[in-house]
Amino acid sequence: MSVETERSSTESSAASGLDFEDTALTLRLPGSSDPDRKRASTSDPDCPSPTAAAADSPPSPKAQVVGWPPVRAFRKNALAASASSARTKFVKVAVDGAPYLRKVDLAAFAGYTTTSSAAAYDQLLAALQDKFISHFTVRRLGNEEMKLVDAVSGTEYVPTYEDKDGDWMLVGDVPWRMFVETCQRIRLMKSSEAVNLAPRAAR
Amino acid sequence: MTYFPEEVVEHIFSFLPAQRDRNAVSLVCKVWYEVERLSRRHVFVGNCYAVRPDRVVLRFPNVRALSVKGKPHFADFNLVPPDWGGYAGPWIEAAARGCVGLEELRMKRMVVSDESLELLAKSFPRFRALILVSCEGFSTDGLAAIASHCKLLRELDLQENEVDDRGPRWLSCFPDSCTSLASLNFACIKGEVNAGALERLVARSPNLRSLRLNRSVSVDTLSKILMRTPNLEDLGTGNLTEDFQTESYQRLTVALEKCKMLKSLSGFWDASPLCVPCIYPVCAQLTGLNLSYAPTLESSDLTKMISHCVKLQRLWVLDCIADKGLQVVASTCKDLQELRVFPSEFYIAGYSPVTEEGLVAISAGCPKLSSLLYFCHQMTNAALITIAKNCPNFTRFRLCILEPGKPDAMTNQPLDEGFGAIVRECEGLRRLSISGLLTDKVFMHIGRHAKQLEMLSIAFAGDSDAGMMHVMEGCKNLRKLEIRDSPFGDAALLGNVAKYETMRSLWMSSCTVTEKGCQVLASKMPMLNVEVINEVDESSEMDESHGGLPKVHKLYVYRTIAGPRDDAPDFVKIL
């Protein structure tokens, strides 16, 4: 048989390319582990990302069988086009008090947060939570401000971003797509320092 | 009957539209043959190489609607090399010479050139309908020719073709005098179209019932168009991705509300979840809904929409809908007849949000379900048995488990019993695609029970030649058999050679057939074309000989009265 259906080990997934998540430094508390991610934030849907598998065996590049799955080229291309039309938009993320910056790809997310029970990892704030402190919770206040709270230390963080004009804005004010367009970098600012930002107009 | 005047016989035949019946009556006697052939209006050619175009045109000079299919089905999945064949040119040229009354041309999986389209446009004064499905080889220049010259054009339907986009000019080529359009589908055109030209075309087409736009058409243009087409029955939207501009979407909602006849909705290219509520006004009247090009819609968005679609008969979605979304479908869409769930990601060993549970829920809630295409990552025998009992009316059942050879997710057993239940319970089954871990047993079940089966697709299945032989022996109505990556060799190929003359075609790739076996088949059956397709790049991989004999990479066998074709490329050997 010319088809390889072997289960690949993590060795071959490493051979297929460095897994960014595996080599990245994290600021986790000792003993906390990577949450199981169902979808990698990559803009290439045809690349068998090692983090995509929920099972114990991530697919190796060889597991791409010619003409399989049986989906018309038109359909495959159409879905790839819609994924790549979002491009990638990596921005630096800084957290007050942490020595390391991280990067997130804004184009990989569908929105700020979601109320649906679909994979929460698709959403920006959940990803920020994931990358930085393992015990963030996302608190949505009545006026729709979003705050990230480190449940361990009790410190509140306010997500802010620098826009194309160089101004520091509160994350969540503008529609998601406009945010993706204009955001240059993100900073999780400690609440105590964020009082100088103009409050949102009260409803 | 032979004492009736010919006009009377012809009139009687006019009540036999089905090609099979007309073929039958034409065999009765010479008079009937003549009457039948001169009055035949529709001709369907399932394999363009089964008969020469000239012969068709000579026999049926008064044909009005011609339908021709080219490449084998597995060409859809890149298993047939480019330049294999399936050229439309000879057909259009022959028709241009011999049946100028042609009004309709339907082609599937064929290579169509711009020159052919131009010839088509200029040769048939009464031409009304061009339908191209999964074709390639032409550009928007060819479409411009059709638009310019076909004065009575009613239907231009382009489904999933590879079209070379040379700019938006083609749409402006419809003359002002063209007011006959009833159906226009250009969803597969990749580039921009001129919005003004489109609006003007729609404005002068009072008979427009079906309109499918492409990605480039904006929400605003769509709203303007819909205000002009209150009688539209089938709509394919343009893109629905724009930043949420409340006014645009409100205009769209208002425009959609006017379309009381709208039954079928598709498009949704990269649709934003924010646009979903605009569709709510028409959901309750929809019988067809295609959301399979909207990967940005999550399960909750989809279910919100579908929960209004109480009359739905046909649903195409991505697996983002998830099992719980399918449960909503099951409880809402009681009239559902056709369901297709496509994968949103193509990883083989991965995770998909739909499992056997979603399908079981559908089968329980939608007893009228007769056509299924389902991509998932796991299945169980128990689920298939339940599904079979719930839905005995399946005519088309295609299950694709993304990981080849994957067993029952609960018991780790092969899925033989599950598919066995399907073929046993569904007596009307005409089309079947199987997947997962399967032994020869499943083919025993198929051979024993699938008596109406006409098309069978096999991948990564079976243990030995016996598997294929069960099918060849038992499936009396089999017309198309396509097999890939299964251990069937010469014994299976040669086990029942006479059967191939009752079938349209056989495809075998990455099996264990040798060239010697193919030679034997070709010499025993002169009425078959035995095509051995060997590609140079793969030869190094496949060089493992089977008992010293070179294995055949790809084999395509079909019955024909045309003899070996003369347009075969180098890598195709016709034995």
Side-chain angles (χ1 to χ4, degrees), chain B residues 163-445:
Chain B
V163 186
D164 188 18
D165 195 314
R166 304 235 177 110
R169 171 185 80 93
W170 68 276
L171 195 63
S172 311
C173 288
F174 284 101
D176 291 338
S177 53
C178 175
T179 57
S180 47
L181 265 185
S183 170
L184 177 63
N185 173 4
F186 61 91
C188 63
I189 302 296
K190 295 180 194 121
E192 305 264 319
V193 292
N194 184 316
L198 178 60
E199 288 167 40
R200 284 190 298 277
L201 179 61
V202 170
R204 65 177 185 275
S205 303
N207 298 323
L208 201 61
R209 294 289 170 271
S210 169
L211 180 63
R212 297 193 181 189
L213 310 169
N214 76 351
R215 268 182 214 272
S216 73
V217 177
S218 68
V219 173
D220 275 335
T221 306
L222 175 59
S223 307
K224 287 192 196 141
I225 288 173
L226 287 177
M227 295 303 284
R228 301 262 200 190
T229 57
N231 294 328
L232 203 65
E233 294 169 12
D234 168 45
L235 172 68
T237 70
N239 79 74
L240 297 172
T241 57
E242 286 167 16
D243 278 338
F244 186 58
Q245 304 269 345
T246 328
E247 283 168 36
S248 289
Y249 282 101
Q250 276 175 359
R251 272 200 294 272
L252 179 61
T253 309
V254 168
L256 274 172
E257 268 165 350
K258 291 199 163 12
C259 297
K260 303 286 184 210
M261 313 281 289
L262 197 63
K263 291 268 178 326
S264 164
L265 207 50
S266 59
F268 292 95
W269 308 102
D270 309 324
S272 152
L274 298 167
C275 78
V276 163
C278 308
I279 313 294
Y280 290 168
V282 293
C283 283
Q285 59 197 67
L286 291 181
T287 57
L289 184 57
N290 182 353
L291 298 165
S292 62
Y293 288 105
T296 37
L297 293 180
E298 297 174 346
S299 179
S300 55
D301 307 309
L302 295 168
T303 50
K304 277 191 207 134
M305 208 192 296
I306 291 171
S307 59
H308 293 90
C309 300
V310 289
K311 289 198 181 148
L312 212 58
Q313 294 172 14
R314 187 176 43 84
L315 176 63
W316 293 20
V317 275
L318 289 171
D319 59 8
C320 319
I321 192 172
D323 282 341
K324 61 174 162 52
L326 290 176
Q327 273 153 18
V328 174
V329 175
S331 56
T332 310
C333 309
K334 294 304 180 188
D335 286 337
L336 197 69
Q337 291 168 22
E338 177 181 329
L339 175 66
R340 296 195 191 189
V341 179
F342 293 96
S344 48
E345 292 172 359
F346 306 117
Y347 313 138
I348 289 178
Y351 154 83
S352 72
V354 298
T355 68
E356 76 277 12
E357 287 182 17
L359 191 52
V360 169
I362 291 281
S363 72
C366 309
K368 293 186 190 170
L369 194 65
S370 60
S371 174
L372 179 74
L373 172 60
Y374 198 77
F375 286 84
C376 59
H377 269 98
Q378 65 179 58
M379 188 48 59
T380 65
N381 283 308
L384 283 172
I385 291 168
T386 306
I387 290 159
K389 291 236 164 61
N390 289 341
C391 289
N393 296 322
F394 275 122
T395 54
R396 294 180 196 83
F397 190 87
R398 292 190 282 165
L399 178 65
C400 181
I401 301 166
L402 276 107
E403 190 183 320
K406 186 159 181 188
D408 181 316
M410 280 201 318
T411 66
N412 254 350
Q413 294 299 302
L415 290 171
D416 300 331
E417 292 315 305
F419 281 104
I422 295 286
V423 293
R424 231 183 346 264
E425 302 289 334
C426 305
E427 291 175 357
L429 196 67
R430 295 200 310 263
R431 184 168 180 184
L432 178 65
S433 296
I434 56 180
S435 58
L437 181 64
L438 295 163
T439 72
D440 285 346
K441 276 216 198 91
V442 72
F443 299 111
M444 206 176 70
H445 295 314

Side-chain angles (χ1 to χ4, degrees), chain A residues 59 113 131:
Chain A
T113 63
K131 277 183 193 280

